[in-house]
Amino acid sequence: MASLPEGLAHGGVWLRVEEPGAASAVRRTAERLAADLAMPEKRIADLSIVAAEASGNLVKHAVQGTVLVRAVRADDQAGVELVLVDSGPGMLDVQRSIGDGHSTAGTLGIGFGAILRQASRWDLHSVPGKGTVMTVQVWPGTAPEPAWAAGVTRPLTGETVSGDAIAARIVEGRRQILVSDGLGHGGLAAAASHEAVRAFGTAPAAPPAQVVEVLHNALRHTRGAALAVADIDVAAGVVRYAGLGNISGTLLAPDGSRRGMVSMPGIAGHQRRQIREYDYPLAPDAVVLMHTDGVVDRWNPVDYPGLFSHTPEVIAATVLRDAGTRRDDAGVLVARVS
């Protein structure tokens, strides 16, 4: 089998879905990825139904529909996830809209039912007038526990890979997350962030400032990156945060309030005056959200009723849709405290 396209092999590929032929491209891309992951033929067939129905819904109902097709891995197995994003019209009654027999396009209205029956896991959030974000996962066996931290990245328009990368780990009881923004765009920026993710995965269990120091040293042979690490200590009720460069970190409380976290100036791998670590109180059921400078802070939590009770993937994709720029790589990572 031919090797996967670069984007599909590294973090997934985004496809615009605004006409019927694009829906077929989503299905073929998902099937190809599943085959490369050696998923059973039965589950590849199930995935094909999910991809066709989900992307077909975007063609019929959505505005500016896009789909991210990517691999997901956990518990020694790999599956395929579709992240479907659109900018309208949204659903007034989600439960009614996803039921069999409901249609606004003159069809039988069985699309959502088919998706949910074949999927291992799904989540959906919709706001009338703003649009809908849906994630669907198809696993070869029993689906693993939902991810406590997840996100999305998207390359600059015209590039096949993103210079932004995200990662999460639990090491010796520490829950830590990383966001990296490789300097510039394209392959060299992606290489810098991939090295940051690799070094993060093997770094000792240590406070964020020490982990950032490890990453700084690991990136010396790359063009460098802005990056930040958050350590989420639920038992102590605190988030410890350290970063170099323009990575934004935000604590979102259940009451809708938000608090920014501080990174220091610098470029990991090249320019580092000092690495400081800051502690922030962590409320129960809070959400930790980090993003690169390809995402602007123009979104307001109060505009998304119910969003922050959803999965990290749906939260991240919603923020990326409404606050991400097409003129830069963009990445959002979300961790749930509860």
Side-chain angles (χ1 to χ4, degrees):
M1 179 181 295
S3 61
L4 292 174
E6 188 175 16
L8 193 57
H10 296 95
V13 61
W14 287 92
L15 301 170
R16 295 184 68 86
V17 183
E18 296 179 332
E19 48 85 21
S24 297
V26 172
R27 175 183 54 78
R28 292 192 300 270
T29 301
E31 290 173 345
R32 184 175 181 184
L33 177 57
D36 189 77
L37 296 173
M39 288 179 63
E41 289 187 6
K42 172 61 169 63
R43 292 305 279 157
I44 294 178
D46 293 340
L47 173 64
S48 181
I49 294 171
V50 169
E53 294 291 349
S55 54
N57 280 340
L58 288 182
V59 173
K60 295 172 187 175
H61 306 293
V63 176
Q64 297 178 348
T66 57
V67 179
L68 171 63
V69 182
R70 65 179 177 182
V72 284
R73 294 177 172 84
D75 298 343
D76 298 323
Q77 64 171 327
V80 174
E81 180 176 54
L82 307 179
V83 181
L84 301 107
V85 180
D86 69 65
S87 298
M91 303 178 191
L92 186 61
D93 186 338
V94 170
Q95 291 304 314
R96 181 167 180 262
S97 296
I98 66 177
D100 280 346
H102 178 76
S103 174
T104 60
T107 64
L108 293 177
I110 60 174
F112 265 119
I115 294 169
L116 305 189
R117 283 189 290 272
Q118 310 304 327
S120 302
R121 178 177 293 116
W122 65 277
D123 190 23
L124 182 151
H125 180 263
S126 188
V127 176
K130 282 187 173 292
T132 301
V133 170
M134 182 177 189
T135 60
V136 186
Q137 295 180 354
V138 176
W139 292 87
T142 302
E145 289 296 314
W148 64 275
V152 289
T153 61
R154 186 180 66 197
L156 165 77
T157 299
E159 294 285 354
T160 58
V161 294
S162 175
D164 294 353
I166 57 179
R169 68 174 189 167
I170 300 177
V171 54
E172 295 184 13
R174 290 182 177 271
R175 290 178 176 255
Q176 296 185 332
I177 54 177
L178 163 74
V179 171
S180 175
D181 180 354
L183 197 63
H185 309 290
L188 292 178
S193 282
H194 291 164
E195 177 61 19
V197 170
R198 185 206 63 77
F200 177 70
T202 59
Q210 295 180 35
V211 176
V212 170
E213 182 72 39
V214 170
L215 303 187
H216 171 69
N217 292 328
L219 266 60
R220 291 186 185 278
H221 67 285
T222 73
R223 62 167 50 180
L227 55 81
V229 173
D231 184 299
I232 302 168
D233 190 336
V234 177
V238 65
V239 175
R240 302 177 182 92
Y241 187 86
L244 288 173
N246 195 14
I247 301 294
S248 296
T250 303
L251 282 170
L252 299 166
D255 63 4
S257 62
R258 54 191 290 185
R259 179 176 182 178
M261 298 185 287
V262 176
S263 287
M264 302 304 295
I267 301 172
H270 296 281
Q271 298 177 13
R272 178 191 66 79
R273 294 182 181 177
Q274 56 187 336
I275 300 174
R276 289 184 177 176
E277 184 174 305
Y278 297 89
D279 293 356
Y280 300 91
L282 181 66
D285 298 321
V287 168
V288 180
L289 189 151
M290 296 166 60
H291 63 77
T292 65
D293 63 358
V295 178
V296 298
D297 283 325
R298 66 186 178 208
W299 57 278
N300 189 333
V302 301
D303 293 333
Y304 303 93
L307 173 62
F308 297 98
S309 64
H310 284 267
T311 60
E313 295 92 336
V314 165
I315 297 171
T318 301
V319 172
L320 181 67
R321 178 194 66 193
D322 292 347
T325 174
R326 295 285 183 176
R327 300 183 302 276
D328 196 359
D329 297 327
V332 183
L333 177 59
V334 174
R336 298 200 59 84
V337 172
S338 57

